[in-house]
């Protein structure tokens, strides 16, 4: 009779080589990346008009508003943005390369190598929640990096916030933040806390999580892949993957 | 009442906090309530933020300390007003918002919405498109059922099992990304979505690729059944009598676990299900174990359906089918069997723009049954019961 141990051994090692190596295509499918114009062609009127969330403007693509619906692929765009693309500020029209890589402050660097994560949903569709929880599965296995999920904000160092902030969740989210000990960091996961995503402008919603909490990293994507969430968490700890 | 009301001993603001009210719109009850009173009873608010339930929603637990006398699920914390804000948007743009109502049920939502919109507009649908929608839905059903199994194993501290099962769920997400270009199938069923990989070579690769998770799932389930601790824990947990399920309109695995043979794919067989063998999953005990057994049978049935679909994929891409007749001109109803149950969309369209959209989601139908089943349970039953229903707050807070 087979046992759990045999079953696990039979499947072998599943764990990602991230952050030692770049996120693979299996980990970050094309829709995990921001669209970029494929040729030198700037944004055409058709591409701007065809974007259902207004993420394409005359200056380029704003990743913090893109919901990866792929409509712009018909207008000469392709999903070719960087794999690790998170932002310090609420994303403006920074362009696909606007992710500030390298010298950004790492608020949790003093904590050394172990961090505890707490998930707060302020109005998501559940996809981002599941992508955050997927960090614990054997494919990503964040405990190998000293990251753990905790059940109380009082034990948490990083608040992972998913969803577009609704009026009803403003106060609970603030309380969760206040309950955390210093030093602490907030990572906004998904396009919804960046800009409202697909629901931008609906009644009862706040335009950005930055209006409610001091956010350290915004991770765009609808939803971002676990590797990208992991990258943002490591970045606030000063442990991001460096390009050799 | 032995204990004083919080408003009698606390200033109003603190009394509100004690009840778990934080300002903003008032939370909305998701199930009918009976007022339970008695010696030493009090209300314990659980949520809206907790890691046990990774969504924002609240449960008011009426208890005297050990048993749950009454459980009142409260929604509205993540009310995003999606359906209300759709009026006036083009149908294709509306579909992008519909699939983001509940990300893990996106294929079912968008398929029901598109069916309703096509019926309202009287558009003929390419047969290949119907098959693609069904394929996406079956993949997503497998993902959701495996996810439920993993969450229940997690609650039961089956550490190796939950890790292996979560890994299997991740494998299904990657399969979805490979076939449809998106891990959660967003945009995948709409015109102009991410590139699909479902040509002959892609279908062949997919049918090869689903064999491994199908076999792994069978192996895992056998190991779970060998674990007496696991089976004992969920057997008899949160039972829902058949009369209650029928009277309160439960749907999906919850209803089928009570012995009611109802599956929307078999109600009026439409393409492609009229061409395929759909096995009806059914159990009789109505408890968490029965619901899990139904899900396990459905995972196997869905793997079989995928195999059949990829084997008999329509060769003629020019074929199309008439939509179901509209309720009245410009208004159509679409209905599919989602992972957690029967999902209905009612869409009114004028000049290719949305006039109004209404929906009845499986979570909406199952919340009252869940609340009923929790009466008399103990606190530690909560997670087994909650996960076994496959409830999503995002589906009611739309």
């Amino acid at each position: 009779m087979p046992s759990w141990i045999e079953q696990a051994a039979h499947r072998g090692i599943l764990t990602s080589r991230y952050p030692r190596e770049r996120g693979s295509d299996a980990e970050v499918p094309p829709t995990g990346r921001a669209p970029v114009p494929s040729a030198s062609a700037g944004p055409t009127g058709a591409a701007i008009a065809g974007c259902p969330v207004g993420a394409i403007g005359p200056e380029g693509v704003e990743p913090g508003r893109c919901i990866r619906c792929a409509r712009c692929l018909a207008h000469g765009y392709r999903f070719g943005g960087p794999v690790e693309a998170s932002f310090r500020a609420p994303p403006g029209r920074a362009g696909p390369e606007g992710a500030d890589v390298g010298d950004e402050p790492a608020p949790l660097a003093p904590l050394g190598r172990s961090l505890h994560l707490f998930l707060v949903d302020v109005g998501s569709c559940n996809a981002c929640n599941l992508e955050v929880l997927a960090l614990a599965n054997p494919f990503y296995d964040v405990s190998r990096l000293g990251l753990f999920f905790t059940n109380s904000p009082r034990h948490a160092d990083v608040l992972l916030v998913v969803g577009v902030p609704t009026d009803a969740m403003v106060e609970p989210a603030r309380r969760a933040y206040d309950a955390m000990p210093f030093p602490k960091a907030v990572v906004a996961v998904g396009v919804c806390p960046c800009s409202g995503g697909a629901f931008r402008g609906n009644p009862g919603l706040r335009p950005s999580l930055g209006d409610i909490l001091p956010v350290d990293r915004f991770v765009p994507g609808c939803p971002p892949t676990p590797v990208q969430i992991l990258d943002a968490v490591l970045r606030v700890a000063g442990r991001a993957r460096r390009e050799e | 009442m032995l204990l004083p009301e919080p408003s009698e001993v606390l200033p109003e603001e603190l009394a509100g906090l004690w009840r778990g009210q934080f300002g903003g719109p008032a939370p909305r009850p998701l199930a009918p309530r009976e007022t339970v009173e008695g010696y030493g009873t009090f209300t314990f608010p659980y949520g809206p933020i907790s890691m046990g339930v990774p969504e924002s929603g609240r449960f008011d637990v009426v208890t005297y300390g050990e048993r749950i006398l009454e459980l009142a699920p409260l929604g509205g914390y993540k009310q995003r007003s999606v359906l209300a804000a759709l009026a006036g948007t083009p149908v294709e743009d509306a579909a992008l918002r519909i699939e983001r109502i509940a990300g893990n049920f996106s294929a079912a939502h968008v398929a029901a919405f598109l069916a309703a919109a096509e019926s309202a507009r009287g558009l003929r649908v390419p047969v290949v498109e119907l098959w693609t929608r069904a394929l996406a839905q079956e993949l997503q059903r497998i993902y959701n059922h495996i996810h439920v199994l993993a969450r229940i194993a997690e609650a039961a501290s089956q550490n190796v099992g939950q890790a292996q099962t979560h890994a299997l769920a991740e494998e299904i997400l990657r399969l979805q990304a490979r076939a449809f270009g998106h891990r959660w199938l967003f945009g995948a069923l709409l015109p102009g979505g991410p590139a699909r990989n479902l040509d002959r070579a892609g279908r062949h690769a997919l049918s090869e690729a689903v064999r491994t998770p199908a076999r792994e799932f069978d192996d895992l389930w056998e190991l779970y059944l060998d674990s007496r601790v696991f089976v004992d824990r969920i057997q008899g947990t949160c039972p829902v009598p058949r009369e209650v399920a029928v009277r309160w309109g439960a749907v999906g695995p919850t209803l089928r676990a009570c012995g009611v043979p109802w599956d929307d794919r078999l109600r009026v067989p439409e393409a492609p299900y009229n061409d395929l063998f759909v096995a009806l999953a059914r159990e009789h005990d109505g408890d968490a174990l029965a619901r899990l057994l139904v899900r396990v049978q459905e995972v196997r049935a869905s793997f079989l359906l995928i195999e059949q679909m990829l084997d008999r994929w329509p060769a003629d891409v020019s074929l199309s089918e008439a939509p179901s007749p509209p309720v009245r001109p410009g208004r159509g109803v679409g209905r599919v069997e989602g992972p957690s149950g029967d999902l209905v969309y009612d869409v009114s369209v004028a000049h290719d723009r949305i006039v109004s959209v209404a929906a009845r989601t499986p979570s909406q139908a199952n919340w009252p049954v869940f609340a009923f089943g929790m009466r008399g349970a103990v606190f530690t039953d909560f997670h087994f019961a909650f996960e076994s229903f496959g409830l999503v707050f995002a589906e009611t807070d739309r």
Side-chain angles (χ1 to χ4, degrees):
Chain A
M1 192 178 72
S3 71
W4 286 114
I5 308 287
E6 281 171 55
Q7 156 77 11
H10 178 71
R11 289 178 89 180
I13 296 172
L14 305 172
T15 309
S16 161
R17 295 190 64 78
Y18 192 89
R20 252 186 302 164
E21 287 173 15
R22 173 186 281 281
S24 68
D25 285 348
E27 286 157 2
V28 186
T31 41
R33 299 161 169 226
V36 291
S38 47
S40 55
T44 58
I48 295 174
C51 182
V53 288
I56 302 179
E59 300 95 47
V61 181
E62 188 182 340
R65 286 176 73 165
C66 172
I67 59 168
R68 316 287 161 88
C69 67
R71 295 240 182 115
C72 52
L73 299 201
H75 303 292
Y77 282 73
R78 64 186 173 85
F79 287 122
V83 171
E84 295 120 356
S86 59
F87 301 83
R88 246 164 76 196
R93 289 195 186 278
E97 304 300 326
D100 40 1
V101 177
D103 57 343
E104 68 274 12
L108 298 186
L111 284 180
R113 304 198 64 82
S114 180
L115 294 177
H116 284 69
L117 317 174
F118 186 72
L119 171 70
V120 170
D121 168 11
V122 293
S124 82
C125 71
N126 213 19
C128 286
N129 310 37
L130 295 173
E131 290 287 39
V132 168
L133 295 182
L135 284 173
N137 78 33
F139 277 93
Y140 304 102
D141 188 22
V142 289
S143 54
R144 76 199 150 105
L145 300 166
L147 307 178
F148 303 95
F149 285 100
T150 173
N151 286 325
S152 163
R154 291 207 187 271
H155 305 152
D157 307 304
V158 181
L159 201 64
L160 293 163
V161 187
V162 299
V164 45
T166 61
D167 286 343
M169 282 309 287
V170 170
E171 191 55 29
R174 281 201 186 121
R175 271 162 203 273
Y177 179 78
D178 288 345
M180 292 165 69
F182 283 98
K184 50 188 167 184
V186 176
V187 174
V189 176
V191 65
C192 288
C194 292
S195 68
F199 307 125
R200 189 184 175 84
N202 282 11
L205 303 182
R206 306 294 170 99
S208 160
L209 186 71
D211 305 339
I212 300 167
L213 294 176
V215 180
D216 295 275
R217 300 298 304 180
F218 288 91
V219 193
C222 191
T225 58
V227 159
Q228 292 165 324
I229 302 168
L230 179 56
D231 168 66
V233 172
L234 292 179
R235 214 169 273 277
V236 293
R239 290 167 54 191
R241 196 180 71 83
R242 303 247 177 253
E243 209 66 67
E244 269 88 42
Chain B
M1 291 288 278
L2 190 76
L3 295 175
E5 263 297 289
S7 52
E8 290 169 23
V9 286
L10 295 169
E12 189 41 49
E13 191 207 337
L14 286 179
L17 289 179
W18 192 90
R19 292 195 206 96
Q21 292 159 358
F22 297 102
R28 187 160 38 86
L30 297 173
R33 260 194 102 149
E34 280 174 34
T35 311
V36 180
E37 280 185 7
Y39 179 78
T41 57
F42 59 94
T43 303
F44 171 71
Y46 179 55
I49 294 176
S50 70
M51 272 301 265
V53 178
E55 274 195 287
S56 48
R58 189 172 117 205
F59 301 92
D60 275 0
V61 185
V62 181
T63 176
Y64 56 82
E66 178 57 39
R67 294 220 170 257
I68 295 173
L69 300 178
E70 187 187 11
L71 182 111
L74 296 167
Y77 283 97
K78 46 198 282 185
Q79 178 67 44
R80 292 152 295 161
S81 313
V82 185
L83 296 187
L86 284 181
T89 48
V91 173
E92 278 73 26
D93 290 2
L96 288 174
R97 276 135 191 131
I98 293 287
E99 61 192 2
R100 284 166 178 82
I101 285 178
N104 52 334
F105 301 148
S106 60
H109 276 260
V110 84
F113 171 77
L114 288 177
E118 278 148 5
S119 155
R121 295 154 95 189
L123 292 181
R124 288 184 72 83
V125 199
V127 170
V128 176
E129 208 52 39
L130 291 173
W131 281 63
T132 312
R133 284 177 204 168
L135 179 62
Q137 284 188 67
E138 295 308 327
L139 271 173
Q140 205 158 48
R141 191 185 320 279
I142 292 172
Y143 167 77
N144 279 292
H145 288 354
I146 291 179
H147 178 75
V148 164
L149 173 60
R151 292 285 294 178
I152 291 178
E154 215 176 317
S157 294
Q158 298 278 319
N159 287 336
V160 183
Q162 66 94 359
Q164 294 288 315
T165 316
H166 273 304
L168 193 55
E170 171 77 19
E171 279 173 30
I172 304 292
L173 286 183
R174 290 185 180 189
L175 273 184
Q176 291 183 163
R178 226 158 78 196
F180 291 94
H182 195 288
R183 279 165 67 89
W184 299 90
L185 305 172
F186 291 170
L189 303 179
L190 304 176
R196 289 176 194 158
N197 186 19
L198 289 175
D199 52 358
R200 182 182 279 274
R203 292 200 304 275
H204 183 71
L206 182 61
S207 73
E208 293 280 311
V210 292
R211 268 181 218 152
T212 320
R215 203 186 50 236
E216 280 170 356
F217 178 79
D218 280 345
D219 289 352
L220 280 176
W221 181 241
E222 208 166 301
L223 288 167
Y224 276 118
L225 283 184
D226 282 342
S227 169
R228 283 282 286 279
V229 183
F230 179 73
V231 176
D232 271 2
R233 187 62 195 83
I234 52 177
Q235 188 163 27
T237 299
C238 196
V240 177
R242 183 184 164 125
E243 310 84 71
V244 173
V246 171
R247 185 177 353 118
W248 288 6
V251 293
T254 309
L255 184 64
R256 290 194 283 278
C258 304
V260 182
W262 179 268
D263 186 318
D264 197 67
R265 291 171 292 177
L266 297 165
R267 184 181 51 100
V268 185
E270 287 166 351
Y273 295 110
N274 54 4
D275 244 0
L276 306 170
F277 171 70
V278 188
L280 176 75
R282 184 150 72 120
E283 285 292 324
H284 294 276
D285 292 343
D287 57 354
L289 178 62
R291 285 187 286 276
L292 195 58
L293 286 169
V294 166
R295 285 176 196 274
V296 169
Q297 292 172 33
E298 284 187 28
V299 170
R300 290 179 174 153
S302 292
F303 274 124
L304 184 61
L305 274 169
I306 289 174
E307 210 175 297
Q308 295 176 68
M309 272 190 253
L310 293 171
D311 192 38
R312 298 158 67 177
W313 200 260
D316 189 354
V317 291
S318 62
L319 282 180
S320 65
E321 282 218 354
S324 51
V327 180
R328 57 163 196 261
R331 181 174 171 195
V333 170
R335 190 164 179 177
V336 302
E337 182 72 26
S340 275
D342 198 344
L343 172 61
V344 190
Y345 267 90
D346 173 351
V347 179
S348 299
V349 181
H351 309 294
D352 290 342
R353 283 178 184 266
I354 299 289
V355 176
S356 70
V357 181
R360 206 288 316 272
T361 57
S363 299
Q364 196 177 331
N366 287 341
W367 277 119
V369 190
F370 164 61
F372 181 91
M374 283 306 287
R375 289 182 194 167
V378 293
F379 285 140
T380 45
D381 287 340
F382 179 84
H383 286 112
F384 302 97
F386 177 75
E387 296 297 344
S388 71
F389 284 92
L391 296 164
V392 172
F393 275 104
E395 269 198 327
T396 27
D397 290 355
R398 45 177 208 260

